Amino acid sequence: MKILIEEYRYEADAVKEVLQGLDPLMDMQGKVSVHYVGYYYNYNSSVKDCVFILPKVLLKESGDDKQEKVFGEYRPEDIINPEGKLKQQEKDFIYKLAVWVYRAIVVYKNSHPENTIVCQSFIHQVGRGRRRLSNTYLDILLSLIQFNRDNRNLFFFILKNLHSGYDKINWTRTISTTDAIVQRGKPVYLNPVNKKRQVDFDEELLVIFFSILNYVGDTYGFAKEIDCHFQLIKGKQFETYLKGFGCTRLLQIKYKYFSDKDLELWGLCYAFFDESRKVFVNTRQKEYLLVKDFYIVFEAIIDELIGDRTLPDNLKKRQEDGKVLDHIFRDASLIDSRNRKTYYIGDSKYYKIGHELTKESIYKQYTYAHNVIQWNLNLFNDEKEENPSVRLRDDVTEGYNIIPNFFISAKMYKDGNGRFSYGDDGIERTDRKHNRHSQFQFKNRLFDRDTLLLFHYDVNFLFVLSLYARNNASQKAVWKEKVRRTFREEIQEWLKKDYDFYAMRALPGVDGEAYIKGHFQEVLGKLYAPYTDKGIISLALDNKCKPENDALIDELRRYFYVELCPLGQDPNKALPAVATGAVAATIGDNDLALCVTRMGDNYGNFIGQLKAAGKMGIALNMDGATLQLVEGFTNVRYVIVHNKSKRYSVFYTDGKGPKLVAGDDIGNMPVTKKGASLYLVYSVKKEAVVGLPELDLTPIALARSESYYPQLLPVQALLKKAGA
């Protein structure tokens, strides 16, 4: 067996004989690389051996010089002839990998009959021709399968002879070897002798052979084509055969066989268990199975396992500008995963392990996403779809659903024993330096068509290769559902680290849609209405813009319930079902507002305490800063908490007037100054006032020395200054 690695640049002299017949071109530096994956038999008199060209994902940069090495350990030119250089575990791995690559190429060829990248010529015949120097595990499996196809008549003939005469009594032997019981003058034999034998070595060899075919079919996806109904060796029992009992048992029964076919069948079974070099293959003709540009096969593998075949071709296969998507599928939205779907747009990157994305790849992915958005908009602009499964733009907020863009590259996973694993079936964020990318026109606008997010994930190359090669529809469907769910949840977790998500519903008496239209620039790209309940809106804010976000939330809470609602959570659980007493504001000419100033973090803390307690205390012994009681102070209707700028919240009083409360009885309510002996306590409704026009706070801060003291002002004065 010879080993070459796809796209590795070899010295021309090192691979001159091994590559005879492929005729690769030498570059200006005297290097040669092979752009194929697969295997071929080199019939050159100095080689006469099977050559594996393995995928470049086996290469990993290693050492200070960042040289590419197989398994991160071996220089590819050092293992062209692997005998004595690879560990047995690594050699076994390469044997099995060759089978999966073979199967994947066959599945790709059968599902893409018009392809131009697969080159093949087969001569898998078992016989007495010239012997190869080595026979790979792949050779053994193919020879077993071919023997089954070529000798079906032989199997039926053997079975017919084996079972002919079964249960027919041999009276001569019965009379001479057993005792009879005489009843009514007639002998009765309780243990007659028939022709059935206790051990049938011909049948046992067939049982072992078909058990091997059954194992090969289950494990590697080859067609079993078992027409004889034997009690096969399976499960734990077959594992004992794989661990050595198979060779032992075959050696015990070998002397029973004399015909050429029996010996040939015995040799194939023994070779399977021993992975020996005792299979003779006719190699007079050239034999190969090669695929050029293996990245196309990798794209087909990923698209088969995660893609969506029901999408129209002009969306997936060829966009209006001629670009072709690798992968696109419809799945649950990141915001409302139960009722809304979005597009997931992906690109396969068949890189060597650790290779970083190029700027060109990133830019092209953004272009793909823009094309999909425009295609979706055209459906509704042209009124071509009445009941869309995906609608990216929301007409109320003019926000756009999040479109997850992703790259998938291959990686080799190892188990706890350091062995490359086929069993790890997950998909995980890549460990490359840059696993996230973003593009936006305006900051803090997640729900904007110009905000595009790009995530980079790795998938276990061995798992997806083997799953595709088995070509089992149910196994693929199970993994597709699992990986899509995992993928969605992973992206949600990433977004929750960068954004704070809220659910909003308009307070009673507020026209939420009218408010959004009236404050369009302030909320553009931050709001999106994805839910079945059109009254619920999602708010997303970049957590790196805290001051700006706090001001916006304070403003929105005057008109909406605004509650934290992480991605994937039901917004109905976060929001109150109905308002608890809040009504729309109607401002009279004599309505008064009690204005309290709080700066910095004290502003938010004061608001939180006020909502919790429903009461507020005004200190009445503030050393000359006593509340200036204006006529009618008992009829205060509004409480305004502000920070001398545009941040303010407005609350209703209960209309019953304030009460005098001793300082010892003040409890946990917010107060204008701690430690006072007497407080004027106002009870307020816990919901913010709705429907008030925007206020101008400049009349509150008349003088710096007085601006921090509570003040009582006519609300109309604030509205007039605001141009109301």
Side-chain angles (χ1 to χ4, degrees), residues 333-335 341-344 392 400-405 446-447 451 453 455 491 495 501 528 540 567:
S333 168
L334 300 177
I335 308 295
K341 290 188 176 183
T342 189
Y343 293 111
Y344 292 71
L392 296 178
Y400 286 80
N401 201 352
I402 303 170
I403 298 183
N405 287 260
L446 179 61
F447 301 127
T451 298
L453 307 175
F455 306 90
I491 295 176
L495 284 174
F501 291 88
Y528 179 62
L567 280 178

Side-chain angles (χ1 to χ4, degrees), residues 8 10 67-70 73-80:
Y8 182 79
Y10 293 91
Q67 185 174 2
E68 294 175 339
K69 295 182 179 179
V70 177
E73 184 175 352
Y74 303 98
R75 295 171 64 241
E77 50 265 34
D78 292 340
I79 59 170
I80 295 175

Side-chain angles (χ1 to χ4, degrees), residues 492-711:
Q492 286 177 329
E493 289 301 316
W494 270 12
L495 284 174
K496 284 189 284 189
K497 292 179 181 179
D498 291 344
Y499 290 87
D500 295 323
F501 291 88
Y502 300 83
M504 295 172 37
R505 179 190 282 127
L507 291 167
V510 172
D511 186 337
E513 186 172 344
Y515 176 87
I516 292 172
K517 290 181 179 179
H519 299 78
F520 184 72
Q521 287 301 320
E522 291 93 328
V523 300
L524 177 61
K526 299 178 177 66
L527 300 184
Y528 179 62
Y531 302 106
T532 303
D533 183 346
K534 297 301 182 181
I536 299 178
I537 298 172
S538 179
L539 168 67
L541 298 174
D542 189 331
N543 54 31
K544 295 186 293 294
C545 305
K546 184 172 174 51
E548 171 190 335
N549 295 343
D550 289 345
L552 178 62
I553 291 174
D554 289 339
E555 165 66 18
L556 290 173
R557 279 178 171 158
R558 295 169 51 211
Y559 304 92
F560 298 86
Y561 294 108
V562 182
E563 302 295 341
L564 282 170
C565 182
L567 280 178
Q569 179 178 318
D570 183 355
N572 289 296
K573 295 180 179 180
L575 293 168
V578 294
T580 54
V583 295
T586 55
I587 302 172
D589 294 338
N590 299 318
D591 287 343
L592 298 176
L594 180 62
C595 305
V596 179
T597 306
R598 281 294 178 269
M599 304 299 292
D601 292 338
N602 292 329
Y603 170 79
N605 295 335
F606 195 93
I607 297 291
Q609 287 181 292
L610 183 59
K611 288 184 176 181
K615 296 179 180 180
M616 177 187 68
I618 306 298
L620 292 182
N621 57 341
M622 297 178 63
D623 299 330
T626 305
L627 172 69
Q628 305 196 9
L629 300 179
V630 191
E631 184 179 356
F633 74 95
T634 57
N635 297 322
V636 169
R637 189 177 186 191
Y638 297 100
V639 171
I640 299 176
V641 183
H642 65 98
N643 70 343
K644 296 183 63 179
S645 65
K646 291 185 177 181
R647 291 185 67 187
Y648 61 89
S649 293
V650 185
F651 297 86
Y652 282 117
T653 65
D654 62 359
K656 297 179 181 179
K659 296 179 180 179
L660 288 172
V661 177
D664 294 338
D665 300 326
I666 206 67
N668 294 323
M669 73 179 70
V671 296
T672 56
K673 182 180 180 180
K674 294 181 179 179
S677 59
L678 189 65
Y679 290 90
L680 194 65
V681 175
Y682 286 88
S683 295
V684 301
K685 296 184 179 181
K686 297 181 180 181
E687 294 78 21
V689 173
V690 301
L692 275 178
E694 187 174 355
L695 303 179
D696 180 4
L697 303 182
T698 53
I700 297 177
L702 298 177
R704 181 175 180 82
S705 60
E706 298 178 354
S707 62
Y708 290 92
Y709 305 146
Q711 298 182 56

Side-chain angles (χ1 to χ4, degrees), residues 214-231:
N214 180 70
Y215 170 80
V216 170
D218 288 342
T219 305
Y220 298 113
F222 289 97
K224 297 179 183 180
E225 300 180 3
I226 301 175
D227 297 325
C228 303
H229 301 287
F230 287 109
Q231 186 68 33

